């Protein structure tokens, strides 16, 4: 994390923070069954903000995010941290 921040400061003169624009929750086996999708640890998208990068990328409520930037998403608490590092 420190190296990433250092690189951003050297390259841009500031630290950037990524923003996706979703609210999310955990995909449980029960919720996966309700949605008719196979259960796999991931992040369930509850809502998408208008005009957000998520909306522009075609992410919709009830989508299941399994990875971001090639890194596995196994619980919702990891998503904001990973997105911020992409800034």
């Amino acid at each position: 994390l420190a190296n990433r921040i250092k690189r951003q400061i050297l390259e841009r003169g500031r630290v950037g923070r990524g923003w996706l624009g979703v609210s999310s929750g955990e995909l449980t086996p029960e919720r996966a069954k309700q949605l008719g999708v196979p259960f796999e640890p991931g992040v369930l998208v509850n809502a998408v903000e208008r005009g957000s990068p998520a909306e522009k990328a075609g992410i919709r409520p009830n989508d299941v995010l399994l990875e971001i930037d090639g890194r596995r998403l196994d619980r919702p608490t990891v998503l904001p941290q990973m997105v911020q590092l992409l800034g």
Side-chain angles (χ1 to χ4, degrees):
L1 177 60
N3 284 331
R4 197 175 281 215
I5 290 172
K6 177 183 171 185
R7 187 172 53 248
Q8 287 181 5
I9 291 171
L10 292 173
E11 291 173 1
R12 303 182 202 163
R14 63 181 175 79
V15 178
R17 292 287 182 198
W19 172 58
L20 187 58
V22 299
S23 66
S24 61
E26 183 177 358
L27 180 65
T28 63
E30 297 80 18
R31 187 69 177 128
K33 186 176 180 179
Q34 290 173 343
L35 294 171
V37 298
F39 173 72
E40 192 170 344
V43 175
L44 177 64
V45 175
N46 293 323
V48 178
E49 294 181 39
R50 286 185 180 212
S52 68
E55 182 184 57
K56 291 174 184 171
I59 296 173
R60 299 174 305 186
N62 295 323
D63 280 351
V64 178
L65 306 177
L66 300 175
E67 63 179 49
I68 187 167
D69 196 32
R71 295 175 53 195
R72 185 86 179 130
L73 290 170
D74 57 357
R75 61 190 183 283
T77 56
V78 175
L79 180 62
Q81 297 164 359
M82 292 175 79
V83 169
Q84 285 183 358
L85 291 175
L86 296 174

